[in-house]
Amino acid sequence: MNFLSNMTNLTYAEEPSQIHELQSLVNANSKSLLLNFPSIPLSQPIYGCSEINGQFQFGLSPDFDKKLLSKHDIPTYEAISDILTETSNLYSTHVNVIDKQPVVKRLFGVYLENGLIGLCEEIVNSKPNQQIPNILKTVSSGLIKIIDAINGPFNPLMLSKKEHEMNFAFIKGSNWKSSLIHAFQWHPHCNKYAVAFKNDIVKVYSNKQGHAILKHQNQVNITCLAWKPFYSSIIAVGCANAIIIWDTDSSTVSLKPSSSCSFVLSKRYHNDIMDIQWYPKSDFLLSVASKDNEIIIWDVTLKSCVPVKRIGNTGFSLARFSPNGFKLFTADLSTSFRIWKPTNYTSEKWINLYSRCNAACWSPDGSILLFTCDDCPLLYSLRFLNSEKQELEVVCDLSSISLFENMNDQSQIDTSAISRYTIGGSINDMSWDPTGQRLAISFKKKTTDSHINVVAIFLTKFQPQFQVLPCGFVNDMENAFPVNLSFKPEFESGALLTISWSNSRIQHVPFYFNRIVDDYGAPQTITSLSCY
């Protein structure tokens, strides 16, 4: 499938829906599904948990996680203090190497890679010890202002620095900025994962390879990670104003980052990158940004890009390819989203949501899209029928409930101590496992100390109709906030959920069940890739 064909004169088949009215109807006539969940154990500390055929098992031993890692050969995760110490020295070495290059040679390299505007920005942002004349900085600053003045009317999303910081915090949330972990991503075929930390360091964990540490001077405010399909070592790191492409197989990457194992993709005004997605069956990378109303498709091999024009003057917050690549979901910062056909990039637009869409995931066969809205406790589904018609439904209400309401045996509980605690509420994130049988949902953090941060686990069934059934809760002993939810793409025993908590803890929750033979066909087997 050619990504770059038919990219001009796009047409739009816009089909509005009445999601806002459905919201009011459900709120008046429904109860929170969280009332039907098993109780959270409070009598003793819980060090981990697992699920066997729908029944939760809680680990009471401190070495629960250690035994789990050994049993399933899960890569060992190191303490964040070690990472900060290692990479601080590592990056200092890298910067010194760059600064020692001749000025003319370094600036010429920047010009070849980023063009005139990139060269001007490099000169303006240079440090005093890099020997750049002040007159050159003044001229470069003037050129940038002229270019911005010319392009400003065509880019309604240009923001001041203060507005930029407010916009970024608004979309990602204030809790994300203070969290020690900012992003997590399992490799789609190999037994390894990558973690992005608050100090803009990415570390790749693997039991069979040395842990790779990734740091780049343009790697600032990391928002997302994406492993390249069918490649064991290439990962894209989405940052505030650039995308860094790394080859983690390089023998030098664990010793010192250099230009030989990474390169930068950037485009003027494509700032505050919110999501990056590799197309499932090609070498193209898609990115969306909150300060750009265009979808950008990158030819990573040629380091070039093509924008997809879109009607509207708002940026994006999400992009999700369906597993088969036949559909693309994008959510903007208004109350609408689009479903695209990547063959020609025509789209259908859905409007009048309760608020902006803040989370979405596809079923394994791409027939169902689950999505949620900001500050809303409802889970929606959009089903794609064989007749090319679509059905929109409200799956369930996950409104906040008191912990006392969730207790199975209330007669033996001190209600005065329990009744003030709450769980659930506005949905923050969600992830659907590759078998389509487990769904994990996290909730927006509340400012009150009486709210317990949990991840709700659901059983999902497709026959005779689509159902979402309660399974159990997962929470952190320190009441940390779940930053990221990610299912391991391949797990023979059922499904493996990885939760990244705001206190830097990474928790693995295994689900043991027999896979149901479904209509999507057997999972694709990778036979030509050597993975570690």
Side-chain angles (χ1 to χ4, degrees), residues 285-513:
L285 180 70
L286 180 144
S287 65
V288 294
S290 66
K291 289 175 60 180
D292 192 353
N293 63 346
E294 296 178 336
I295 300 172
I296 303 300
I297 302 173
W298 300 91
D299 186 331
V300 177
T301 304
L302 299 178
K303 301 180 184 179
S304 62
C305 66
V306 173
V308 178
K309 301 293 183 182
R310 183 182 68 88
I311 300 173
N313 60 353
T314 62
F316 293 90
S317 60
L318 284 176
R320 296 285 186 272
F321 274 113
S322 62
N324 55 20
F326 294 154
K327 304 181 191 70
L328 170 67
F329 163 88
T330 60
D332 58 34
L333 301 183
S334 67
T335 58
S336 66
F337 67 83
R338 290 177 185 255
I339 304 296
W340 303 78
K341 293 181 179 179
T343 51
N344 55 11
Y345 274 90
T346 57
S347 69
E348 294 185 3
K349 185 178 181 180
W350 294 76
I351 63 175
N352 295 335
L353 277 71
Y354 174 82
S355 58
R356 68 177 178 88
C357 183
N358 67 334
C361 55
W362 290 94
S363 62
D365 64 338
S367 65
I368 297 178
L369 173 73
L370 297 180
F371 67 93
T372 63
C373 299
D374 192 39
D375 290 327
C376 178
L378 301 182
L379 177 64
Y380 296 96
S381 72
L382 184 62
R383 187 155 196 163
F384 299 84
L385 307 177
N386 293 332
S387 58
E388 294 192 0
K389 293 184 179 180
Q390 302 168 11
E391 288 183 353
L392 177 68
E393 295 180 344
V394 176
V395 179
C396 61
D397 184 351
L398 301 177
S399 297
S400 176
I401 64 171
S402 70
L403 204 57
F404 176 70
E405 293 179 281
N406 178 247
M407 293 298 169
N408 295 331
D409 184 6
Q410 300 176 357
S411 61
Q412 301 180 7
I413 298 174
D414 181 5
T415 58
S416 62
I418 298 298
S419 58
R420 67 186 183 93
Y421 290 102
T422 61
I423 53 177
S426 301
I427 299 172
N428 182 71
D429 192 15
M430 60 182 172
S431 182
W432 209 341
D433 91 286
T435 70
Q437 294 177 243
R438 296 296 184 271
L439 174 69
I441 293 180
S442 64
F443 302 91
K444 195 171 183 179
K445 184 178 180 181
K446 295 185 178 180
T447 55
T448 59
D449 295 334
S450 60
H451 186 75
I452 299 179
N453 298 309
V454 299
V455 176
I457 307 300
F458 298 85
L459 310 179
T460 52
K461 296 183 179 181
F462 293 84
Q463 301 296 336
Q465 61 183 4
F466 179 63
Q467 292 179 291
V468 173
L469 306 174
C471 183
F473 292 120
V474 182
N475 67 303
D476 182 73
M477 288 190 296
E478 300 178 1
N479 200 29
F481 174 73
V483 178
N484 181 276
L485 306 175
S486 180
F487 278 97
K488 194 174 188 294
E490 297 178 1
F491 189 72
E492 294 182 358
S493 303
L496 180 70
L497 172 66
T498 302
I499 306 173
S500 304
W501 298 94
S502 58
N503 59 0
S504 81
R505 180 192 178 198
I506 289 182
Q507 180 181 3
H508 303 284
V509 183
F511 303 90
Y512 304 106
F513 56 84

Side-chain angles (χ1 to χ4, degrees), residues 244-296:
I244 316 297
I245 306 296
W246 288 94
D247 183 355
T248 61
D249 258 2
S250 172
S251 60
T252 63
V253 73
S254 59
L255 300 175
K256 180 183 64 179
S258 65
S259 58
S260 63
C261 54
S262 67
F263 59 88
V264 178
L265 301 176
S266 63
K267 179 180 180 294
R268 186 67 172 168
Y269 309 125
H270 190 63
N271 298 332
D272 283 4
I273 295 172
M274 289 292 140
D275 214 345
I276 53 177
Q277 296 272 301
W278 291 96
Y279 185 75
K281 298 179 181 179
S282 82
D283 292 335
F284 293 103
L285 180 70
L286 180 144
S287 65
V288 294
S290 66
K291 289 175 60 180
D292 192 353
N293 63 346
E294 296 178 336
I295 300 172
I296 303 300

